[in-house]
Coordinates of all heavy atoms in Angstrom, one line a residue:
M6 N -17.0 103.6 19.8 CA -16.0 102.7 20.3 C -16.5 102.2 21.7 O -16.7 102.9 22.6 CB -14.7 103.4 20.4 CG -13.6 102.6 21.0 SD -12.2 103.6 21.2 CE -11.0 102.7 20.5
P7 N -16.7 100.8 21.8 CA -17.2 100.2 23.1 C -16.1 100.3 24.2 O -14.9 100.2 23.9 CB -17.5 98.8 22.7 CG -16.8 98.5 21.5 CD -16.5 99.8 20.8
L8 N -16.5 100.4 25.4 CA -15.6 100.5 26.5 C -15.3 99.0 26.9 O -16.2 98.2 27.0 CB -16.2 101.2 27.7 CG -16.4 102.7 27.5 CD1 -17.2 103.3 28.7 CD2 -15.1 103.4 27.3
I9 N -14.1 98.8 27.3 CA -13.6 97.5 27.7 C -13.5 97.6 29.2 O -12.8 98.4 29.8 CB -12.3 97.0 27.1 CG1 -12.5 97.0 25.6 CG2 -11.9 95.7 27.7 CD1 -11.1 96.7 24.9
E10 N -14.3 96.7 29.9 CA -14.2 96.7 31.4 C -13.2 95.6 31.9 O -13.3 94.4 31.4 CB -15.6 96.5 32.0 CG -16.5 97.6 31.7 CD -17.8 97.4 32.4 OE1 -17.9 96.6 33.4 OE2 -18.8 98.0 32.0
F11 N -12.3 96.0 32.7 CA -11.4 95.0 33.3 C -11.8 94.6 34.7 O -12.3 95.5 35.4 CB -10.0 95.6 33.3 CG -9.4 95.8 31.9 CD1 -9.4 97.0 31.4 CD2 -8.9 94.7 31.2 CE1 -8.9 97.2 30.1 CE2 -8.4 94.9 30.0 CZ -8.4 96.1 29.4
P12 N -11.6 93.4 35.1 CA -12.0 93.0 36.5 C -11.1 93.7 37.5 O -9.9 94.1 37.1 CB -11.9 91.5 36.5 CG -10.9 91.2 35.4 CD -11.1 92.3 34.4
P13 N -11.5 93.9 38.7 CA -10.6 94.5 39.7 C -9.3 93.6 39.9 O -9.3 92.4 39.6 CB -11.4 94.5 41.0 CG -12.8 94.2 40.6 CD -12.8 93.6 39.3
A14 N -8.3 94.3 40.4 CA -7.0 93.6 40.6 C -7.2 92.4 41.5 O -7.8 92.5 42.6 CB -6.0 94.5 41.2
G15 N -6.7 91.2 41.1 CA -6.7 90.0 41.9 C -7.9 89.1 41.6 O -8.0 88.0 42.1
V16 N -8.9 89.6 40.9 CA -10.1 88.8 40.5 C -9.8 88.1 39.2 O -9.4 88.8 38.2 CB -11.3 89.6 40.5 CG1 -12.5 88.8 40.1 CG2 -11.6 90.3 41.8
T17 N -10.0 86.8 39.1 CA -9.8 86.1 37.8 C -11.1 85.4 37.4 O -12.1 85.4 38.1 CB -8.7 85.1 38.0 OG1 -9.2 84.1 38.9 CG2 -7.4 85.7 38.5
D18 N -11.0 84.8 36.2 CA -12.1 84.1 35.7 C -12.3 82.7 36.4 O -13.3 82.0 36.1 CB -11.9 83.9 34.2 CG -11.9 85.2 33.4 OD1 -11.2 86.1 33.8 OD2 -12.6 85.2 32.4
V19 N -11.4 82.3 37.2 CA -11.5 81.0 37.8 C -12.5 80.9 38.9 O -13.2 79.9 39.1 CB -10.1 80.6 38.4 CG1 -10.1 79.3 39.1 CG2 -9.0 80.7 37.3
L20 N -12.8 82.0 39.6 CA -13.8 82.0 40.7 C -15.2 81.5 40.3 O -15.7 80.7 41.0 CB -13.9 83.4 41.3 CG -12.7 83.8 42.2 CD1 -12.9 85.2 42.7 CD2 -12.5 82.8 43.3
P21 N -15.7 81.9 39.2 CA -17.1 81.4 38.9 C -17.1 80.0 38.3 O -18.2 79.5 38.1 CB -17.6 82.4 37.8 CG -16.5 83.1 37.3 CD -15.3 83.0 38.3
S22 N -16.0 79.3 38.2 CA -16.0 78.0 37.6 C -16.6 77.0 38.6 O -16.5 77.1 39.8 CB -14.5 77.5 37.3 OG -13.9 77.2 38.5
P23 N -17.4 76.1 38.0 CA -18.1 75.1 38.9 C -17.1 74.2 39.7 O -17.4 73.8 40.8 CB -19.0 74.3 37.9 CG -18.6 74.7 36.6 CD -17.7 75.9 36.7
Y24 N -16.0 73.9 39.1 CA -15.0 73.1 39.7 C -14.5 73.7 41.0 O -14.4 73.1 42.0 CB -13.8 72.8 38.8 CG -12.7 72.0 39.4 CD1 -12.8 70.7 39.6 CD2 -11.5 72.6 39.8 CE1 -11.8 69.9 40.3 CE2 -10.5 71.9 40.4 CZ -10.6 70.6 40.6 OH -9.6 69.9 41.2
L25 N -14.2 75.0 40.9 CA -13.7 75.7 42.1 C -14.7 75.8 43.2 O -14.4 75.7 44.3 CB -13.1 77.1 41.7 CG -12.4 77.9 42.8 CD1 -11.2 77.1 43.3 CD2 -12.0 79.2 42.3
R26 N -16.0 76.1 42.7 CA -17.1 76.2 43.7 C -17.2 74.8 44.4 O -17.4 74.8 45.7 CB -18.4 76.6 43.0 CG -18.5 78.0 42.7 CD -19.9 78.4 42.4 NE -20.4 77.7 41.3 CZ -20.5 78.1 40.1 NH1 -20.1 79.3 39.8 NH2 -21.1 77.4 39.1
R27 N -17.2 73.7 43.7 CA -17.3 72.4 44.3 C -16.1 72.1 45.2 O -16.3 71.5 46.3 CB -17.3 71.4 43.2 CG -17.8 70.0 43.7 CD -18.0 69.0 42.6 NE -18.0 69.6 41.2 CZ -17.6 69.1 40.1 NH1 -17.1 67.9 40.1 NH2 -17.7 69.7 39.0
L28 N -14.9 72.6 44.8 CA -13.7 72.4 45.7 C -13.9 73.2 47.0 O -13.5 72.6 48.0 CB -12.5 72.8 44.9 CG -11.2 72.5 45.6 CD1 -10.9 71.0 45.7 CD2 -10.0 73.2 44.7
I29 N -14.3 74.4 46.9 CA -14.5 75.2 48.1 C -15.6 74.6 49.0 O -15.4 74.5 50.2 CB -14.8 76.7 47.7 CG1 -13.6 77.3 47.1 CG2 -15.3 77.4 48.9 CD1 -13.9 78.7 46.5
R30 N -16.7 74.1 48.4 CA -17.8 73.5 49.2 C -17.2 72.2 49.9 O -17.5 72.0 51.1 CB -19.0 73.2 48.3 CG -20.2 72.7 49.1 CD -21.4 72.5 48.2 NE -21.3 73.1 46.9 CZ -21.5 72.4 45.8 NH1 -21.8 71.1 45.8 NH2 -21.5 72.9 44.6
S31 N -16.5 71.4 49.1 CA -15.9 70.2 49.7 C -14.9 70.6 50.8 O -14.9 69.9 51.9 CB -15.2 69.4 48.7 OG -16.1 69.0 47.7
G32 N -14.2 71.6 50.6 CA -13.2 72.0 51.6 C -13.9 72.5 52.9 O -13.4 72.2 54.0
R33 N -15.0 73.1 52.8 CA -15.8 73.6 53.9 C -16.4 72.4 54.7 O -16.3 72.3 55.9 CB -16.9 74.5 53.5 CG -16.4 75.9 53.2 CD -17.6 76.8 52.8 NE -17.1 78.1 52.4 CZ -17.7 78.9 51.7 NH1 -19.0 78.6 51.2 NH2 -17.2 80.1 51.4
V34 N -16.9 71.4 54.0 CA -17.4 70.2 54.6 C -16.3 69.4 55.4 O -16.5 69.1 56.5 CB -18.1 69.3 53.6 CG1 -18.4 67.9 54.2 CG2 -19.3 69.9 53.0
V35 N -15.2 69.2 54.7 CA -14.1 68.6 55.3 C -13.5 69.4 56.5 O -13.2 68.8 57.6 CB -12.9 68.3 54.3 CG1 -11.7 67.8 55.0 CG2 -13.4 67.3 53.3
G36 N -13.5 70.7 56.4 CA -13.0 71.5 57.4 C -13.9 71.5 58.7 O -13.4 71.4 59.8
S37 N -15.2 71.4 58.5 CA -16.1 71.3 59.6 C -16.0 70.0 60.2 O -16.1 69.8 61.5 CB -17.6 71.6 59.2 OG -18.0 70.7 58.3
F38 N -15.9 68.9 59.4 CA -15.7 67.6 60.0 C -14.4 67.5 60.8 O -14.4 66.9 61.9 CB -15.6 66.5 58.8 CG -15.3 65.1 59.3 CD1 -16.3 64.4 59.9 CD2 -14.1 64.6 59.2 CE1 -16.1 63.1 60.3 CE2 -13.8 63.3 59.6 CZ -14.8 62.6 60.2
V39 N -13.3 68.0 60.3 CA -12.1 68.0 61.0 C -12.2 68.8 62.3 O -11.7 68.4 63.4 CB -10.9 68.6 60.1 CG1 -9.7 68.9 61.0 CG2 -10.6 67.6 59.0
T40 N -12.9 70.0 62.3 CA -13.1 70.8 63.5 C -13.8 70.0 64.6 O -13.4 70.0 65.7 CB -13.8 72.1 63.1 OG1 -13.1 72.8 62.1 CG2 -14.0 72.9 64.4
V41 N -14.9 69.3 64.2 CA -15.7 68.5 65.1 C -14.8 67.4 65.7 O -14.8 67.1 66.9 CB -17.0 68.0 64.5 CG1 -17.7 67.0 65.4 CG2 -17.9 69.2 64.2
Q42 N -14.0 66.7 64.8 CA -13.2 65.6 65.3 C -12.1 66.1 66.3 O -11.8 65.4 67.2 CB -12.6 64.9 64.1 CG -13.5 64.1 63.3 CD -14.1 63.0 64.2 OE1 -13.4 62.3 64.9 NE2 -15.4 62.9 64.1
V43 N -11.6 67.3 66.0 CA -10.6 67.8 66.9 C -11.2 68.1 68.3 O -10.6 67.8 69.3 CB -9.9 69.1 66.3 CG1 -9.1 69.9 67.4 CG2 -9.0 68.7 65.2
I44 N -12.4 68.7 68.3 CA -13.1 69.0 69.5 C -13.4 67.7 70.3 O -13.2 67.6 71.5 CB -14.4 69.8 69.3 CG1 -14.0 71.2 68.8 CG2 -15.3 69.9 70.5 CD1 -15.2 72.0 68.3
V45 N -13.9 66.7 69.6 CA -14.2 65.4 70.2 C -12.9 64.7 70.8 O -12.9 64.2 71.9 CB -14.9 64.4 69.2 CG1 -15.0 63.0 69.8 CG2 -16.3 64.9 68.9
Q46 N -11.8 64.8 70.1 CA -10.6 64.2 70.6 C -10.1 65.0 71.8 O -9.6 64.3 72.7 CB -9.5 64.2 69.5 CG -9.8 63.3 68.3 CD -9.8 61.9 68.7 OE1 -9.0 61.4 69.5 NE2 -10.6 61.1 68.1
M47 N -10.2 66.3 71.8 CA -9.8 67.1 72.9 C -10.7 66.7 74.2 O -10.1 66.6 75.3 CB -9.9 68.6 72.7 CG -8.9 69.0 71.7 SD -7.2 68.9 72.3 CE -7.2 70.1 73.6
I48 N -12.0 66.6 74.0 CA -12.8 66.2 75.1 C -12.5 64.8 75.6 O -12.4 64.6 76.8 CB -14.3 66.3 74.7 CG1 -14.8 67.7 74.5 CG2 -15.2 65.6 75.7 CD1 -16.1 67.8 73.8
G49 N -12.2 63.9 74.7 CA -11.8 62.5 75.1 C -10.4 62.6 75.9 O -10.3 61.9 76.9
F50 N -9.5 63.4 75.4 CA -8.2 63.5 76.1 C -8.4 64.1 77.5 O -7.8 63.6 78.5 CB -7.3 64.4 75.2 CG -6.0 64.6 75.9 CD1 -5.0 63.6 76.0 CD2 -5.7 65.9 76.4 CE1 -3.8 63.9 76.6 CE2 -4.5 66.1 77.0 CZ -3.5 65.2 77.1
L51 N -9.1 65.2 77.6 CA -9.3 65.8 78.9 C -10.1 64.9 79.9 O -9.8 64.9 81.0 CB -10.0 67.2 78.7 CG -9.2 68.2 78.0 CD1 -10.1 69.5 77.7 CD2 -8.0 68.5 78.7
S52 N -11.1 64.2 79.3 CA -11.8 63.3 80.2 C -10.9 62.1 80.7 O -11.1 61.6 81.8 CB -13.1 62.8 79.6 OG -12.8 62.0 78.5
G53 N -10.0 61.7 79.8 CA -9.1 60.6 80.2 C -8.1 61.1 81.3 O -7.9 60.4 82.3
I54 N -7.7 62.3 81.2 CA -6.8 62.9 82.2 C -7.6 63.0 83.5 O -7.1 62.7 84.6 CB -6.3 64.3 81.8 CG1 -5.4 64.2 80.6 CG2 -5.5 65.0 82.9 CD1 -4.1 63.4 80.8
L55 N -8.9 63.4 83.4 CA -9.7 63.6 84.6 C -9.9 62.2 85.3 O -9.9 62.1 86.5 CB -11.0 64.2 84.2 CG -12.0 64.6 85.4 CD1 -11.4 65.6 86.3 CD2 -13.3 65.1 84.8
L56 N -10.1 61.2 84.5 CA -10.3 59.8 85.0 C -9.1 59.3 85.7 O -9.1 58.7 86.8 CB -10.7 58.8 83.9 CG -12.1 58.7 83.5 CD1 -12.3 57.8 82.3 CD2 -12.9 58.2 84.7
I57 N -7.9 59.6 85.1 CA -6.7 59.2 85.8 C -6.5 59.8 87.1 O -6.1 59.2 88.1 CB -5.5 59.6 84.9 CG1 -5.5 58.7 83.6 CG2 -4.2 59.4 85.6 CD1 -4.4 59.1 82.6
R58 N -6.9 61.1 87.2 CA -6.8 61.8 88.5 C -7.8 61.4 89.5 O -7.6 61.3 90.7 CB -7.0 63.3 88.3 CG -5.9 63.9 87.5 CD -4.6 63.8 88.3 NE -3.6 64.7 87.8 CZ -2.4 64.6 88.3 NH1 -2.1 63.8 89.3 NH2 -1.5 65.4 87.9
M59 N -9.0 61.0 89.1 CA -10.1 60.7 90.0 C -10.1 59.2 90.5 O -10.5 59.0 91.6 CB -11.5 61.0 89.4 CG -11.7 62.5 89.2 SD -13.3 62.9 88.5 CE -14.3 62.4 89.9
L60 N -9.8 58.3 89.6 CA -9.9 56.9 90.0 C -8.6 56.4 90.7 O -7.5 56.9 90.6 CB -10.0 56.0 88.7 CG -11.3 56.2 87.9 CD1 -11.2 55.3 86.7 CD2 -12.5 55.8 88.7
E61 N -8.9 55.4 91.6 CA -7.7 54.8 92.2 C -7.0 53.9 91.2 O -7.5 53.6 90.2 CB -8.2 53.9 93.4 CG -8.8 54.7 94.5 CD -9.3 53.8 95.6 OE1 -8.9 52.6 95.7 OE2 -10.1 54.3 96.5
Q62 N -5.8 53.5 91.6 CA -5.0 52.8 90.6 C -5.6 51.5 90.2 O -5.7 51.1 89.0 CB -3.6 52.5 91.2 CG -2.7 51.8 90.3 CD -1.3 51.6 90.9 OE1 -1.1 51.8 92.1 NE2 -0.4 51.1 90.1
R63 N -6.2 50.7 91.1 CA -6.9 49.5 90.8 C -8.1 49.7 89.9 O -8.3 48.9 89.0 CB -7.2 48.8 92.1 CG -7.8 47.4 92.0 CD -8.0 46.7 93.3 NE -8.7 45.5 93.2 CZ -8.1 44.3 93.0 NH1 -6.8 44.3 92.8 NH2 -8.8 43.2 92.9
E64 N -8.9 50.7 90.2 CA -10.1 51.0 89.4 C -9.7 51.4 88.0 O -10.3 51.0 87.0 CB -10.9 52.1 90.1 CG -11.6 51.6 91.4 CD -12.2 52.8 92.1 OE1 -11.9 54.0 91.8 OE2 -13.1 52.6 93.0
Y65 N -8.7 52.2 87.9 CA -8.2 52.6 86.6 C -7.7 51.5 85.8 O -7.9 51.4 84.6 CB -7.2 53.7 86.7 CG -6.7 54.3 85.4 CD1 -7.6 55.1 84.6 CD2 -5.5 53.9 84.8 CE1 -7.3 55.5 83.4 CE2 -5.1 54.4 83.6 CZ -6.0 55.2 82.8 OH -5.7 55.6 81.6
A66 N -7.0 50.5 86.4 CA -6.5 49.3 85.8 C -7.7 48.5 85.2 O -7.7 48.1 84.0 CB -5.7 48.4 86.7
F67 N -8.8 48.3 86.0 CA -10.0 47.7 85.4 C -10.6 48.4 84.3 O -11.0 47.8 83.3 CB -11.0 47.4 86.5 CG -10.6 46.4 87.6 CD1 -10.8 46.6 88.9 CD2 -10.1 45.2 87.1 CE1 -10.5 45.7 89.8 CE2 -9.7 44.2 88.1 CZ -9.9 44.5 89.4
F68 N -10.7 49.7 84.4 CA -11.2 50.6 83.3 C -10.4 50.4 82.1 O -10.9 50.3 80.9 CB -11.2 52.0 83.8 CG -11.6 53.0 82.7 CD1 -12.9 53.1 82.2 CD2 -10.6 53.7 82.1 CE1 -13.2 54.0 81.2 CE2 -10.9 54.6 81.0 CZ -12.2 54.7 80.6
T69 N -9.1 50.4 82.2 CA -8.2 50.3 81.0 C -8.4 48.9 80.3 O -8.4 48.8 79.1 CB -6.7 50.5 81.4 OG1 -6.6 51.8 82.1 CG2 -5.8 50.4 80.2
I70 N -8.4 47.9 81.1 CA -8.6 46.5 80.6 C -10.0 46.4 79.8 O -10.0 45.9 78.7 CB -8.5 45.5 81.7 CG1 -7.0 45.4 82.2 CG2 -9.0 44.1 81.2 CD1 -6.8 44.6 83.4
A71 N -11.0 46.9 80.5 CA -12.3 46.9 79.9 C -12.4 47.7 78.6 O -13.0 47.3 77.6 CB -13.4 47.4 80.8
N72 N -11.8 48.9 78.6 CA -11.8 49.7 77.4 C -11.0 49.1 76.3 O -11.4 49.2 75.1 CB -11.2 51.1 77.8 CG -11.6 52.2 76.9 OD1 -12.6 52.0 76.1 ND2 -10.9 53.3 76.9
T73 N -9.9 48.5 76.6 CA -9.1 47.8 75.6 C -9.8 46.6 75.0 O -9.8 46.4 73.8 CB -7.7 47.3 76.2 OG1 -7.1 48.5 76.7 CG2 -6.8 46.7 75.1
M74 N -10.5 45.8 75.8 CA -11.2 44.7 75.3 C -12.4 45.2 74.4 O -12.7 44.5 73.4 CB -11.8 43.9 76.5 CG -10.7 43.2 77.3 SD -9.9 42.0 76.3 CE -11.1 40.8 76.0
Q75 N -13.0 46.3 74.8 CA -14.1 46.8 74.0 C -13.6 47.2 72.6 O -14.3 46.9 71.6 CB -14.8 48.0 74.7 CG -15.9 48.6 73.9 CD -16.5 49.8 74.5 OE1 -16.0 50.3 75.5 NE2 -17.6 50.3 73.9
G76 N -12.5 47.9 72.5 CA -11.9 48.3 71.2 C -11.6 47.1 70.4 O -11.8 47.0 69.2
T77 N -11.0 46.0 71.0 CA -10.6 44.8 70.3 C -11.8 44.1 69.8 O -11.9 43.7 68.6 CB -9.8 43.9 71.2 OG1 -8.7 44.6 71.7 CG2 -9.3 42.7 70.5
L78 N -12.8 44.0 70.6 CA -14.1 43.3 70.1 C -14.8 44.1 69.0 O -15.3 43.5 68.1 CB -15.0 43.0 71.3 CG -14.5 42.0 72.4 CD1 -15.4 41.9 73.6 CD2 -14.3 40.7 71.7
N79 N -14.8 45.4 69.1 CA -15.4 46.2 68.1 C -14.7 46.0 66.7 O -15.3 45.9 65.7 CB -15.4 47.7 68.4 CG -16.5 48.0 69.4 OD1 -17.5 47.3 69.6 ND2 -16.3 49.1 70.1
L80 N -13.3 45.9 66.8 CA -12.6 45.7 65.6 C -12.8 44.4 65.0 O -13.1 44.2 63.8 CB -11.1 45.9 65.9 CG -10.1 45.6 64.8 CD1 -10.2 46.8 63.7 CD2 -8.7 45.5 65.3
L81 N -12.8 43.3 65.8 CA -13.1 42.0 65.3 C -14.5 41.8 64.8 O -14.7 41.2 63.8 CB -12.8 41.0 66.4 CG -11.4 40.8 66.9 CD1 -11.2 39.9 68.1 CD2 -10.5 40.4 65.7
A82 N -15.5 42.4 65.5 CA -16.9 42.3 65.0 C -17.0 43.1 63.7 O -17.7 42.6 62.8 CB -17.8 42.9 66.0
D83 N -16.4 44.2 63.5 CA -16.5 45.0 62.3 C -15.9 44.3 61.1 O -16.4 44.3 60.0 CB -15.9 46.4 62.4 CG -16.1 47.2 61.2 OD1 -17.2 47.2 60.7 OD2 -15.1 47.8 60.8
I84 N -14.8 43.6 61.4 CA -14.1 42.9 60.3 C -15.0 41.8 59.8 O -15.1 41.6 58.6 CB -12.7 42.4 60.7 CG1 -11.8 43.5 60.9 CG2 -12.2 41.4 59.8 CD1 -10.4 43.1 61.6
G85 N -15.6 41.1 60.6 CA -16.5 40.0 60.2 C -17.7 40.4 59.5 O -18.1 39.8 58.4
V86 N -18.3 41.5 59.9 CA -19.5 42.0 59.2 C -19.2 42.5 57.8 O -19.9 42.3 56.9 CB -20.2 43.1 60.1 CG1 -21.3 43.8 59.3 CG2 -20.8 42.5 61.3
S87 N -18.1 43.3 57.7 CA -17.7 43.8 56.4 C -17.4 42.7 55.4 O -17.8 42.8 54.3 CB -16.5 44.7 56.6 OG -16.7 45.8 57.5
V88 N -16.6 41.7 55.9 CA -16.3 40.6 55.0 C -17.6 39.9 54.5 O -17.7 39.5 53.4 CB -15.3 39.7 55.6 CG1 -15.1 38.4 54.8 CG2 -14.0 40.4 55.8
G89 N -18.5 39.7 55.5 CA -19.7 39.0 55.2 C -20.6 39.7 54.2 O -21.1 39.1 53.2
L90 N -20.7 41.0 54.4 CA -21.5 41.8 53.5 C -20.9 41.9 52.1 O -21.6 41.8 51.1 CB -21.6 43.3 54.0 CG -22.6 43.5 55.1 CD1 -22.6 44.9 55.7 CD2 -24.0 43.1 54.7
V91 N -19.6 42.0 52.0 CA -19.0 42.0 50.7 C -19.1 40.7 50.0 O -19.4 40.6 48.8 CB -17.5 42.5 50.8 CG1 -16.7 42.3 49.5 CG2 -17.4 43.9 51.3
S92 N -18.9 39.6 50.7 CA -18.9 38.3 50.0 C -20.3 37.9 49.6 O -20.5 37.3 48.5 CB -18.3 37.2 50.9 OG -19.2 37.0 52.1
I93 N -21.3 38.2 50.4 CA -22.7 37.8 50.1 C -23.3 38.9 49.1 O -23.9 38.5 48.1 CB -23.6 37.8 51.3 CG1 -23.1 36.6 52.2 CG2 -25.1 37.6 50.9 CD1 -23.8 36.6 53.6
G94 N -23.1 40.1 49.3 CA -23.6 41.2 48.5 C -23.0 41.2 47.1 O -23.6 41.6 46.1
G95 N -21.7 40.8 47.0 CA -21.0 40.9 45.8 C -21.6 39.9 44.7 O -21.5 40.1 43.5
R96 N -22.2 38.8 45.2 CA -22.7 37.9 44.3 C -24.1 38.3 43.7 O -24.5 37.9 42.6 CB -22.8 36.5 44.9 CG -21.5 35.9 45.2 CD -21.6 34.5 45.9 NE -22.3 34.7 47.2 CZ -22.0 34.0 48.2 NH1 -21.2 33.0 48.1 NH2 -22.7 34.2 49.4
V97 N -24.9 39.0 44.5 CA -26.3 39.3 44.2 C -26.6 40.8 44.0 O -27.7 41.2 44.1 CB -27.2 38.6 45.2 CG1 -27.1 37.1 45.2 CG2 -27.0 39.2 46.6
W98 N -25.6 41.6 43.8 CA -25.8 43.0 43.8 C -26.7 43.5 42.7 O -27.3 44.6 42.8 CB -24.5 43.8 43.8 CG -23.7 43.6 42.6 CD1 -22.8 42.6 42.2 CD2 -23.7 44.6 41.5 NE1 -22.3 42.9 41.0 CE2 -22.8 44.0 40.5 CE3 -24.4 45.7 41.2 CZ2 -22.6 44.7 39.3 CZ3 -24.1 46.4 40.0 CH2 -23.3 45.9 39.1
Q99 N -26.8 42.7 41.6 CA -27.6 43.2 40.5 C -29.1 42.8 40.7 O -30.0 43.3 40.1 CB -27.1 42.6 39.2 CG -25.8 43.2 38.8 CD -25.2 42.6 37.6 OE1 -25.5 41.4 37.3 NE2 -24.3 43.3 36.9
D100 N -29.4 41.8 41.6 CA -30.8 41.4 41.9 C -31.2 42.2 43.1 O -31.0 41.8 44.2 CB -30.8 39.9 42.1 CG -32.2 39.4 42.3 OD1 -33.2 40.1 42.0 OD2 -32.3 38.2 42.6
R101 N -32.0 43.3 42.9 CA -32.3 44.2 44.0 C -33.1 43.5 45.1 O -32.8 43.7 46.3 CB -33.1 45.4 43.5 CG -33.3 46.5 44.5 CD -34.0 47.7 43.8 NE -34.3 48.7 44.8 CZ -33.5 49.8 44.9 NH1 -32.5 49.9 44.2 NH2 -33.8 50.7 45.8
P102 N -34.2 42.7 44.9 CA -34.9 42.1 45.9 C -34.1 41.1 46.7 O -34.1 41.0 48.0 CB -36.1 41.3 45.3 CG -36.2 42.0 43.9 CD -34.8 42.5 43.6
R103 N -33.3 40.3 46.0 CA -32.4 39.4 46.7 C -31.3 40.1 47.5 O -31.0 39.7 48.6 CB -31.8 38.4 45.7 CG -31.1 37.2 46.3 CD -30.8 36.2 45.3 NE -30.0 35.2 45.8 CZ -29.2 34.4 45.2 NH1 -29.0 34.6 43.9 NH2 -28.5 33.5 45.8
F104 N -30.8 41.2 47.0 CA -29.7 41.9 47.7 C -30.3 42.6 49.0 O -29.6 42.6 50.0 CB -29.2 43.0 46.8 CG -28.0 43.8 47.3 CD1 -26.8 43.2 47.6 CD2 -28.2 45.1 47.7 CE1 -25.7 43.9 48.1 CE2 -27.2 45.8 48.2 CZ -25.9 45.2 48.4
S105 N -31.5 43.1 48.9 CA -32.1 43.7 50.1 C -32.5 42.8 51.2 O -32.6 43.1 52.3 CB -33.3 44.6 49.7 OG -34.3 43.7 49.2
S106 N -32.7 41.5 50.8 CA -33.1 40.5 51.8 C -31.8 40.1 52.5 O -31.8 39.6 53.6 CB -33.8 39.3 51.2 OG -32.9 38.6 50.4

């Protein structure tokens, strides 16, 4: 009579599934990305507080205006490039040499 082995308590057949492994791997990638983004945001926040403390009111006003203008120009420039790439590339995406030019 053969012996039947049971898995330890709490272990299921789901763990070796490729779907779960892919989900765990994706979760780790997203988790590391979120961790880095939180650290970058904290550094930005703390450096902003430090700038407020160190700059005079007039200098901080110029910094704020320049920073706002930079963000606005980046947004406007990105919108134009994305629309241009989609409109031009959408017509020739099947012709590789033409698409790459």
